[in-house]
């Protein structure tokens, strides 16, 4: 029996112009694709390549199905938005491997990185992640909200710029406002906050407001938020959006 | 006079298989390339395209030269390793724009993201950045070392996995050992530390050691280091390198 192979492929933030050649090659080589349905829809159909779309909440089930398929000797690709290692499918697949049968550990596993949302949002508006920064998921599906609050406070005290993934959902409409309130207690109200929605897709929208004016309703599930550090600055441009950047020189307090 | 255009292009960690199509297109469109010499050497020569290599330390000079060239009406690309917005050229260019003549603000500026080193290193060994994490430059060229020490402590207390850029240089051979000592005072000694050297290039080398055994001499300037969080785990595989991952579920203390 052929040895199975599982690719975990990052599609980047949207259009094909963000897909690295190694990812394109993996998608070509795969006999079957697994993934959240909207991600699979981004990939052109290929003769003889099976597709196994799934719901967003079924990460471990999806991971197990792809692993079992690959363990049967197939070349399988699990697709992920952005980078598979940043709040995406790579950790779920490895969690399934750890809990699964021994043969899953013997698979040829190849993780193909991608442009994660915060890098696309940052590139679109300047260089807000130009100095030390952190990335935090605001979802409390898999961790207590108190841990998130603690991380926000410590990140602000550290002087990190911050990127927020999963900023809101229908089940938790008010937590993003709580997060901004916590940051307003730690940071100057003028710190720029960037709301990057659907960056890299046709309906992309960027908005930059000072922290004092940042509100939860400015984000939805497709938004990646970047909160600057106290050193993050705006460079105004006539007739063009201001550039937002965090200088390379920092912390001369 | 034609309106000038400046691309700031991320080349990713090494080989062309990491270069997104938008970056390839920008490199094709440019009449002139600027950048640190080893990055320019990665790009195939193109008839009629001028090259302006520079030294690693001359970031602002290089930025100003590229901006002045573009302001003359040319299409110019500044190339950067990894992602230009992560400890790379985008912040330097915008800093130069802020300090420069008004015409530089009118330029068509396009920043093209790339696969930054930590994403390539993470993909190579599993998903160590699978939960909240931070990225810190350990260089004290542009910030006091005390700021770095404070950020290390707060990042450990927050439970972040951490990626270190610029971990060592000839001018500061001992600071990485100091950084590990600080982390050993805050974190379990079994936390995995990943040394990813030249990932994405032919001489790539990966090494994973527990924090208790991590030493400064294990890194050089081409190394990106990832320090796990207390929740980061190893999944052993017979005949294959262990997978390193940070579970999606965190902080149930």
């Amino acid at each position: 029996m052929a040895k199975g192979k599982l690719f975990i492929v990052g599609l980047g933030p949207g259009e094909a112009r963000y897909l690295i050649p190694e990812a394109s090659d993996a998608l070509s080589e795969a006999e079957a694709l697994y993934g959240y349905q909207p991600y699979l829809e981004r990939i052109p159909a290929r003769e003889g390549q099976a597709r196994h779309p799934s719901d967003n909440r079924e990460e471990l089930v999806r991971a197990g199905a792809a692993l079992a398929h690959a363990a049967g000797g197939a070349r399988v690709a699990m697709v992920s938005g952005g980078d598979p290692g940043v709040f995406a499918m790579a950790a779920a697949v490895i969690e399934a491997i750890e809990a699964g049968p021994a043969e899953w550990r013997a698979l040829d596993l190849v993780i193909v990185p991608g442009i994660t949302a915060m890098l696309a949002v940052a590139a679109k508006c300047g260089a807000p992640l130009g100095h030390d920064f952190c990335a935090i998921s605001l979802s409390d599906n898999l961790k207590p909200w108190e841990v998130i609050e603690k991380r926000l406070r410590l990140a602000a005290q550290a002087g990190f710029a911050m990127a927020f993934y999963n900023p809101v959902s229908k089940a938790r409409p008010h937590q993003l406002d709580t997060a901004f309130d916590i940051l307003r207690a730690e940071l100057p109200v003028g710190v720029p906050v960037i709301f990057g929605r659907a960056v890299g897709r046709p309906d992309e929208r960027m908005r930059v407001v000072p922290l004092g004016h940042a509100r939860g309703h400015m984000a939805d599930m497709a938004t990646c938020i970047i909160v600057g550090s106290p050193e993050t600055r705006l460079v105004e441009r006539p007739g063009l959006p201001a550039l937002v950047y965090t200088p390379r020189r920092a912390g001369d307090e």
Side-chain angles (χ1 to χ4, degrees), chain A:
Chain A
M1 191 176 73
K3 193 183 168 201
K5 184 167 188 175
L6 178 61
F7 298 99
I8 311 177
V9 179
L11 299 182
E15 296 170 359
R17 64 196 163 99
Y18 288 113
L19 195 70
I20 68 173
E22 193 184 358
S24 303
D25 291 351
L27 296 177
S28 300
E29 188 183 332
E31 299 160 89
L33 303 182
Y34 284 76
Y36 178 42
Q37 169 120 26
Y39 298 144
L40 286 182
E41 285 167 3
R42 291 192 201 162
I43 303 167
R46 181 179 295 268
E47 184 75 35
Q49 187 177 58
R51 285 166 178 251
H52 302 274
S54 57
D55 185 79
N56 198 18
R57 291 301 184 103
E58 298 168 348
E59 290 183 339
L60 276 182
V61 175
R62 186 194 315 162
L67 284 159
H69 193 157
R75 295 185 304 281
V76 173
M78 167 71 75
V79 303
S80 198
D83 180 277
V86 177
F87 309 117
M89 283 306 298
V93 169
I94 299 174
E95 193 180 324
I97 291 173
E98 188 174 29
E103 68 206 56
W104 290 2
R105 297 185 188 222
L107 282 172
D108 186 3
L109 180 71
V110 176
I111 302 173
V112 182
I115 304 293
T116 183
M118 65 181 167
L119 300 186
V121 171
K124 195 57 69 172
C125 67
L129 305 177
H131 203 63
D132 302 337
F133 64 93
C134 64
I136 302 176
S137 169
L138 293 191
S139 168
D140 65 350
N141 283 341
L142 296 165
K143 67 187 164 190
W145 177 253
E146 295 67 39
V147 170
I148 299 171
E149 291 198 352
K150 176 183 163 190
R151 289 180 178 173
L152 292 170
R153 284 193 194 92
L154 290 169
Q157 290 162 16
F160 289 136
M162 305 176 205
F164 296 155
Y165 286 70
N166 309 313
V168 288
S169 78
K170 280 179 190 158
R172 42 186 181 86
H174 305 300
Q175 292 181 343
L176 180 56
D177 276 312
T178 307
F180 287 138
D181 284 340
I182 289 168
L183 295 179
R184 279 187 281 263
E186 301 282 347
L187 293 170
V189 293
V191 162
V193 178
I194 301 147
F195 295 84
R197 189 183 180 284
V199 165
R201 302 205 290 277
D203 53 337
E204 167 181 309
R205 205 177 59 217
M206 296 288 294
R207 181 172 186 177
V208 182
V209 303
L211 177 57
H213 295 169
R215 295 292 179 272
H217 68 75
M218 297 173 181
D220 65 11
M221 285 171 64
T223 306
C224 179
I225 297 172
I226 298 177
V227 178
S229 80
E231 276 132 348
T232 304
R233 303 167 59 79
L234 295 187
V235 179
E236 298 293 343
R237 298 186 296 173
L240 292 169
L243 296 168
V244 190
Y245 87 106
T246 306
R248 303 163 306 144
R249 180 177 297 280
D252 294 316
E253 302 169 86

